[in-house]
Amino acid sequence: MKNAAVLIAPGFEEGETMTIVDILRRCDIHCTIYGTSKEVEGAHHIVLKSDAPIALEKAGLLENRRYTAYQGYDEKIKAGQYEKEAVVTDGHLVTAGGPACAYAFAYTLAELLGADSEPVKERMVYYNTFDAGKGD
């Protein structure tokens, strides 16, 4: 069984985080959730922040990389090449475009970790809901 560490910081979005953890676990990937501080509260108790790509830019991880981000962040981030997609993978860097992309992001992570996500997508009726026509 593969393992994944899910890092959360103050202001994390509970729905997105639990969707990602749920899908990875359904794909037989063991997930451990770690907080970046002793007490971590979700976005519903603190102001919601969708600034992960900004943190990646500050860390120098977007230089010469493709990424996606929440709408409008392409104007705030100067490094890298923004792509208006739900999920963008560039090497080991995987970014998602916002809350509605949590499913696509989780399935992408599962596949990158070597899991077969197709049975999980079918059981979760993913194609009927998010990608009409693909599961036919």
Side-chain angles (χ1 to χ4, degrees), residues 24-105:
L24 291 176
R25 287 178 176 167
R26 289 174 189 248
C27 290
D28 292 324
I29 297 169
H30 177 264
C31 293
T32 304
I33 301 171
Y34 296 97
T36 58
S37 63
K38 287 185 178 182
E39 185 173 319
V40 179
E41 286 190 42
H44 290 101
H45 304 288
I46 300 178
V47 177
L48 171 64
K49 295 181 121 182
S50 298
D51 58 1
I54 289 176
L56 292 172
E57 179 184 41
K58 286 180 181 178
L61 298 174
L62 288 183
E63 291 297 325
N64 301 312
R65 304 297 288 273
R66 297 177 303 109
Y67 74 94
T68 192
Y70 192 73
Q71 59 188 352
Y73 276 67
D74 57 313
E75 297 172 13
K76 297 177 182 182
I77 298 170
K78 305 301 179 208
Q81 177 185 340
Y82 173 80
E83 295 185 5
K84 189 176 181 176
E85 299 289 338
V87 177
V88 171
T89 302
D90 186 346
H92 294 297
L93 178 67
V94 184
T95 54
C101 304
Y103 284 84
F105 183 72

